[in-house]
Amino acid sequence: VAHWLLPRENVLWSYVVDDEAHPGRITDFFSFFSLPSQALKPGQAKKPAAKNKRPAGGSQKKPGSDTLNAAYAYYYATNAGNDVKLTAEEKDGCDGAKKEKALLREKQNEAVKTRLVALFGDALVLAKNSGFDVFNCLDMMDNAMFVNELKFGRGDGFLRYYFYNYMARDTASAKIGFVML
C-alpha cells in the first residue's frame, strides 16, 4: 500500500487531514500524481522528450514552453457523513423506514459533498503551488459532487477504457470505481 499512496518526489503528492478535536486521528486523505505532456513540433516525433524538473513553487509554464505540467486526482477518502444522524423531528416527519433511510442518505451525501469541495479546493491550491498548470480528474465516482462547484471545465473528448474479456451493461459514470495501479 505504501508504494501506491506515499508521496514520491515529482511523481505523487499525498496529504492527510488531522482531526483538530482528536489529534492523531485522520479524517481525510487525498492525492494527485504528475503526468506532464509535451507538445511536439512537426518533425520532432522521433526525438526523445527532455527530462523536466519542476520548481518548488509557481507554474513552470513559460511563454514558448512545450511542456504542460498536469496533475491528476488519484486516491481520496473522507469520513464526512459517518457521524450524520437524523433528529427526532426528522424521523417523525418521515413516513416509514424507507423514507427515513433516504433522508439520512441525502444528509450524508451533503456532508460528503461539502467536505470534498473543501478537500479538492485545497488540492487545487497545493497543485498550483507545486508548479502544475492544470488539474484533471475523471468523471466518475463521487467526483461529480465537486467538479461543478470548483469550476472544472469539461474535457473536449471521451476517455475509453477496455477491460479485457469483461462484459457489462452501460453504467452511469458516478457508479463506476476505477482503481489505478
Side-chain angles (χ1 to χ4, degrees):
V1 174
H3 175 76
W4 301 112
L5 299 179
L6 291 181
R8 273 190 269 154
E9 188 176 352
N10 293 325
V11 176
L12 178 64
W13 286 254
S14 298
Y15 299 90
V16 295
V17 178
D18 195 33
D19 188 344
E20 291 177 9
H22 302 94
R25 178 180 167 210
I26 295 172
T27 60
D28 307 286
F29 166 81
F30 64 93
S31 60
F32 53 89
F33 65 90
S34 172
L35 189 60
S37 299
Q38 186 164 15
L40 298 176
K41 295 176 186 163
Q44 281 189 327
K46 294 187 181 182
K47 293 180 183 177
K51 292 285 182 191
N52 187 13
K53 281 263 183 181
R54 187 173 294 104
S59 177
Q60 182 173 337
K61 188 83 174 139
K62 296 181 181 91
S65 173
D66 308 11
T67 303
L68 179 69
N69 292 316
Y72 284 79
Y74 194 39
Y75 285 100
Y76 63 89
T78 182
N79 70 359
N82 290 352
D83 298 332
V84 172
K85 300 203 179 343
L86 295 178
T87 65
E89 293 169 349
E90 290 171 324
K91 287 180 181 180
D92 290 342
C94 292
D95 192 23
K98 211 174 197 179
K99 288 188 178 180
E100 188 176 313
K101 187 175 180 179
L103 179 59
L104 178 61
R105 172 55 65 196
E106 184 180 320
K107 287 183 71 171
Q108 288 171 328
N109 283 343
E110 189 57 38
V112 170
K113 177 182 178 178
T114 300
R115 190 66 191 136
L116 289 179
V117 167
L119 281 175
F120 277 91
D122 291 344
L124 292 172
V125 170
L126 290 164
K128 174 69 175 163
N129 291 342
S130 295
F132 288 97
D133 301 308
V134 65
F135 192 102
N136 294 308
C137 69
L138 298 176
D139 181 17
M140 59 185 356
M141 298 178 9
D142 291 333
N143 294 358
M145 291 182 165
F146 62 85
V147 294
N148 289 333
E149 192 160 334
L150 292 175
K151 304 201 183 328
F152 276 75
R154 185 167 287 287
D156 60 358
F158 294 98
L159 295 175
R160 303 285 181 184
Y161 298 95
Y162 183 82
F163 296 98
Y164 293 95
N165 301 320
Y166 189 81
M167 294 179 65
R169 288 185 233 155
D170 285 343
T171 305
S173 62
K175 295 186 177 202
I176 295 174
F178 187 68
V179 179
M180 299 186 301
L181 298 175

